[in-house]
C-alpha cells in the first residue's frame, strides 16, 4: 500500500447538499467549494463545462432558488460561518449579488419564488430574535409584508402552481412541526395538520390538487403522504419501516423519493400518470442528498457521498437508469483499493438495547488503536459518507480504527429512539458510549489501552462527558465546538432556539441543579487523558465561552490540553483551507497520542492558544 499524507485525503471538492435544475432543465445549479469557499456554480445537464456564478471568500452560499423565468437567482448566505444568513439576488447570466435584506444580526431562511414571479418568500427573525416571520418580498417594488401571526417560528416552504397558496411550516421542535396553508390572495390560513407530531411540507402536485408531506404521525418512521385540497385530508403514499428523507415530483408527474436504510440511501421512483414503478439504479453504500428532478421528469440530479468518495454531483437518466458523475470530488491521487468501507454492527448497551454503529477496521492483523466517533445533533445520524473530510480514511491508512455509533437520540431508527435524548443529555447516551468502549475492548484486534473519543457539536459535548465521567477508558480525547457547561449553553444559543431548549436540554431556572449535574465542566477534576479542543470564534450555536471555561479549568488543574481557536470560522469550518487545518490538527493529535509519533506535534503546537 502506498503511503499517503492527510492532505491527499482532504484534497477534495465538496458539494453542499443543495441541487436545483434551471426552469428550462438545461442547467444543474449546485454549491461547491472548488475555490476554497462554497460558491454557486452551474453545470449543463448531461455534463459539460462548469460555470462559476459567485466568487465569495468570506460569505458562504447556503441555498439558492431560480426565478421562474430563469433570469435571477435568489441566494441565502452568511459570513464567516456566523449563521446570520441574508438574502441576495444574482443575475443568472452573470453579475454581482445584491442584498435585499439588511439585518446583519438576524437570521433569514430562503424559501422560493412564487410561480408567477411576483413574490419571493423567506423567513426572518429581525422583528423579534426569538420568533421567525414569513416575509413576502414583492419583486416589482421591493416592498415586504408579513402575513402570518406573531409569536411562533414560521418558515415558508413551497408555492402552489397557481401562486395562490403557500405552505408554511410551524417549527416547535425536531419532533413537533405543523403545516399551515396560507392563501396569499385573501390572507386566510388553514391548519393542514392539527394533530400533534412531525409534519413537514414537500412539493405540490403539478395540477395543484394538493401537496406531498412527510410525517411520522402514529408511526415510528417518517413516511410520505399526500394532502388533497378538495377535502382537506391527507393519505399515506409510502410507509416503509425506514425514514423517507426526500421526495421530488416533476411537472409531468414523475415522483422520486429516497429512503434512509440504517444510514444508507436507496432511491425509488414512480410514473404517476402511467401508474408504474420506475427502475432505479442499485446504489453503492452511500448517502444521497440535495435531490432535484428535471421539469420534464427525464433526469434526476443529486449529490452522492460514499465512505470512499467525498460528496460529488451525479445525474440519472430515468428512462435507462444510467447514472453519471457530473464532476470529480477526489483529487488527492489516492488509489480506490486503498480506501476502506465500514461494516454495520450492533452492540448491546446497559439496558440490552442494540446500538447501531459503523465499524472501520484497518488492514492487517495488529492490535490497533481505535477512535470512538460521536456524531453531532444529537438528533442526527452517523451516515455512510466521507466523514470529516477524509479523516476516517486517513486514520485507517495509519492503522487506527474507527467505531462510529448511533447512540440513543440518533435519527433514522424510529421516533421513540430519537426522543430518548430529550432532557437526558449526559444521561443514558453516556452509558451507550461506555458500552461502546466495552465492545471495542472485547474485539481481538483492538488495543484497549489506546482508545480515543472524538466528536463535534453535541459529539463534542459527549466527548467531554466521556473524558470527565468515564476517564478510565481513554488514551486521548478530541472536542470540536462542544458545550462544556449546559447551564451557560442553554442561555447562549441563538434566540430562536431558546423556546425549544427546556424540553430538549433543560430550563436555566427550573433545572439548574440538573444542568450542573449533567455538565462535563462539573467533573473536570476527573479528566486524565490529554485533550484537544477546537473552537470557532464566530460560533453562534456553541459560543467560544463554552470551550474557554473548560480549557481554563483543565489548565488550572495542571492538565494536558491543546486549544485551537479559529478567529474566522463558526460552528465548523466553511473555508476549505480551514476545514483541512482543523482535521490536520486532529490527525496530528491522534497520531501523537495513539501511535506515539512526534512528527506532527510541531505542526500542532504552531496553532495552539
Amino acid at each position: 500500500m502506498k503511503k499517503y499524507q492527510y492532505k491527499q485525503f482532504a484534497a477534495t471538492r465538496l458539494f453542499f447538499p443543495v441541487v436545483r435544475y434551471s426552469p428550462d432543465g438545461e442547467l444543474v445549479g449546485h454549491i461547491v467549494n472548488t475555490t476554497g469557499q462554497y460558491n454557486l456554480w452551474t453545470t449543463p445537464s448531461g455534463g459539460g463545462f462548469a460555470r462559476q456564478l459567485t466568487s465569495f471568500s468570506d460569505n458562504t452560499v447556503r441555498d439558492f432558488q431560480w426565478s421562474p423565468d430563469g433570469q435571477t437567482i435568489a441566494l441565502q448566505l452568511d459570513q464567516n460561518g456566523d449563521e446570520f444568513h441574508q438574502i441576495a439576488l444574482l443575475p443568472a447570466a452573470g453579475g454581482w449579488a445584491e442584498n435585499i435584506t439588511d439585518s446583519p444580526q438576524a437570521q433569514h431562511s430562503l424559501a422560493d419564488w412564487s410561480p408567477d414571479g411576483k413574490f419571493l418568500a423567506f423567513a426572518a427573525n429581525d422583528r423579534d430574535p426569538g420568533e421567525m416571520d414569513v416575509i413576502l418580498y414583492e419583486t416589482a417594488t421591493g416592498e415586504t409584508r408579513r402575513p402570518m401571526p406573531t409569536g411562533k417560528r414560521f418558515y415558508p416552504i413551497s408555492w402552489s402552481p397557481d401562486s395562490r397558496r403557500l405552505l408554511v411550516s410551524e417549527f416547535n421542535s425536531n419532533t413537533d412541526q405543523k403545516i399551515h396553508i396560507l392563501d396569499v390572495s385573501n390572507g386566510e390560513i388553514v391548519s393542514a395538520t392539527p394533530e400533534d407530531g412531525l409534519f413537514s411540507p414537500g412539493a405540490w402536485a403539478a395540477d395543484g390538487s394538493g401537496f406531498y408531506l412527510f410525517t411520522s404521525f402514529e408511526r415510528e418512521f417518517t413516511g410520505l403522504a399526500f394532502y388533497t385540497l378538495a377535502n382537506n385530508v391527507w393519505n399515506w403514499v409510502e410507509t416503509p419501516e425506514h425514514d423517507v428523507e426526500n421526495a421530488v415530483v416533476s411537472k409531468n408527474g414523475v415522483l422520486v423519493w429516497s429512503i434512509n436504510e440504517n444510514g444508507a440511501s436507496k432511491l425509488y421512483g414512480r410514473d404517476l400518470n402511467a401508474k408504474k414503478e420506475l427502475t432505479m439504479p442499485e446504489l453503492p453504500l452511500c448517502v444521497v442528498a440535495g435531490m432535484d428532478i428535471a421539469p420534464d421528469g427525464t433526469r434526476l440530479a443529486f449529490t452522492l457521498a460514499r465512505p470512499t468518495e467525498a460528496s460529488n454531483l451525479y445525474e440519472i437518466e430515468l428512462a435507462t437508469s444510467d447514472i453519471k458523475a457530473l464532476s470529480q470530488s477526489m483529487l488527492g491521487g489516492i488509489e480506490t483499493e486503498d480506501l476502506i468501507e465500514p461494516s454495520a454492527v450492533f452492540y448491546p448497551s446497559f439496558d440490552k438495547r442494540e446500538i447501531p454503529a459503523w465499524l472501520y477496521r484497518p488492514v492487517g492483523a495488529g492490535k490497533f488503536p481505535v477512535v470512538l466517533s460521536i456524531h453531532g445533533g444529537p438528533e442526527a445520524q452517523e451516515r455512510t459518507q466521507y466523514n470529516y473530510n477524509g479523516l476516517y480514511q486517513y486514520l485507517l491508512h495509519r492503522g487506527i480504527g474507527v467505531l462510529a455509533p448511533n447512540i440513543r437520540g440518533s435519527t433514522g431508527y424510529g421516533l421513540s429512539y430519537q426522543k430518548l435524548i430529550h432532557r437526558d443529555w449526559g444521561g443514558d447516551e453516556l452509558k451507550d458510549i461506555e458500552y461502546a468502549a466495552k465492545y471495542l475492548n472485547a474485539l481481538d484486534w483492538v488495543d484497549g489501552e489506546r482508545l480515543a473519543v472524538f466528536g463535534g457539536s453535541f459529539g463534542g459535548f459527549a466527548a467531554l462527558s466521556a473524558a470527565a465521567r468515564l476517564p478510565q477508558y481513554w488514551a486521548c480525547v478530541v472536542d470540536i465546538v462542544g458545550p462544556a457547561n449546559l447551564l451557560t449553553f442553554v442561555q447562549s444559543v441563538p434566540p430562536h432556539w431558546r423556546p425549544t431548549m427546556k424540553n430538549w436540554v433543560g430550563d436555566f431556572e427550573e433545572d439548574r441543579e440538573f444542568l450542573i449535574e449533567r455538565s462535563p465542566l462539573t467533573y473536570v477534576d476527573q479528566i486524565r487523558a490529554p485533550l484537544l479542543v477546537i473552537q470557532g470564534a464566530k460560533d453562534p450555536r456553541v459560543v467560544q465561552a463554552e470551550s474557554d471555561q473548560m480549557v481554563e479549568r483543565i489548565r488550572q488543574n495542571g492538565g494536558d490540553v491543546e486549544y485551537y481557536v479559529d478567529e474566522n470560522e463558526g460552528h465548523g469550518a466553511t473555508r476549505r483551507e480551514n476545514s483541512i487545518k482543523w482535521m490536520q490538527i486532529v490527525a496530528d493529535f491522534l497520531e501523537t497520542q495513539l501511535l506515539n509519533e512526534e512528527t506532527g506535534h510541531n505542526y500542532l503546537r504552531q496553532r495552539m492558544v
Side-chain angles (χ1 to χ4, degrees), residues 369-371 391 394-395 400 402 451-454 475-478 532 583-597 604:
V370 176
V371 173
L391 178 66
Y394 176 70
L395 294 177
I400 300 173
V402 177
L451 298 185
V453 61
F454 158 94
C476 62
V477 178
V478 178
L532 169 64
M583 290 303 109
Q584 181 73 70
I585 291 171
V586 173
D588 285 352
F589 178 80
L590 292 172
E591 287 180 277
T592 299
Q593 302 297 332
L594 299 179
L595 302 179
N596 197 28
E597 294 188 4
L604 178 66

Side-chain angles (χ1 to χ4, degrees), residues 42 129 143 156 200 203 230 236 288 302 355 359 396 495 510 558:
T42 61
E143 295 180 354
S200 179
W236 292 111
V288 169
F302 53 94
I355 306 300
L359 181 62
L396 290 164
E510 297 176 15

Side-chain angles (χ1 to χ4, degrees), residues 255-297:
L255 174 68
V256 175
W257 66 98
S258 62
I259 291 178
N260 171 359
E261 297 185 10
N262 191 31
S265 295
K266 304 292 183 183
L267 287 175
Y268 300 85
R270 180 176 299 135
D271 185 326
L272 299 175
N273 294 320
K275 297 182 180 180
K276 67 175 184 179
E277 306 301 303
L278 301 180
T279 301
M280 303 299 289
E282 191 70 29
L283 298 178
L285 197 65
C286 70
V287 174
V288 169
M291 195 164 69
D292 194 24
I293 193 167
D296 64 2

Side-chain angles (χ1 to χ4, degrees), residues 122-300:
F122 54 89
N125 66 345
D126 55 331
R127 179 189 55 80
D128 184 324
E131 302 176 12
M132 294 296 290
D133 294 343
V134 171
I135 297 179
L136 299 181
Y137 172 87
E138 294 192 28
T139 57
T141 65
E143 295 180 354
T144 61
R145 56 188 172 106
R146 303 176 189 238
M148 297 295 291
T150 59
K152 297 284 187 178
R153 283 170 292 167
F154 290 120
Y155 295 85
I157 304 296
S158 57
W159 293 86
S160 60
D162 62 2
S163 300
R164 177 179 170 181
R165 296 177 175 88
L166 177 64
L167 299 182
V168 176
S169 175
E170 176 189 334
F171 182 91
N172 299 307
S173 73
N174 290 332
T175 56
D176 181 11
Q177 300 168 37
K178 301 182 185 301
I179 302 173
H180 303 282
I181 306 171
L182 168 67
D183 190 321
V184 176
S185 65
N186 58 24
E188 180 185 1
I189 301 170
V190 174
S191 178
T193 55
E195 306 93 340
D196 291 333
L198 172 63
F199 294 88
S200 179
W204 284 81
D207 61 3
S209 60
F211 58 88
Y212 291 91
L213 61 91
F214 307 90
T215 179
S216 55
F217 180 68
E218 296 184 341
R219 301 187 75 243
E220 280 294 315
F221 295 94
T222 300
L224 181 65
F226 187 80
Y227 183 96
T228 304
L229 285 179
N231 55 11
N232 295 320
V233 171
W234 62 267
N235 293 287
W236 292 111
V237 176
E238 294 293 330
T239 55
E241 289 305 301
H242 304 281
D243 286 336
V244 178
E245 292 191 305
N246 201 350
V248 291
V249 61
S250 68
K251 291 183 177 180
N252 61 347
V254 176
L255 174 68
V256 175
W257 66 98
S258 62
I259 291 178
N260 171 359
E261 297 185 10
N262 191 31
S265 295
K266 304 292 183 183
L267 287 175
Y268 300 85
R270 180 176 299 135
D271 185 326
L272 299 175
N273 294 320
K275 297 182 180 180
K276 67 175 184 179
E277 306 301 303
L278 301 180
T279 301
M280 303 299 289
E282 191 70 29
L283 298 178
L285 197 65
C286 70
V287 174
V288 169
M291 195 164 69
D292 194 24
I293 193 167
D296 64 2
T298 60
R299 288 148 288 140
L300 183 80

Side-chain angles (χ1 to χ4, degrees), residues 42-60:
T42 61
T43 294
S45 178
F49 180 77
R51 179 167 173 259
Q52 184 178 347
L53 297 188
T54 64
S55 57
F56 297 121
S57 56
D58 294 334
N59 287 335
T60 304

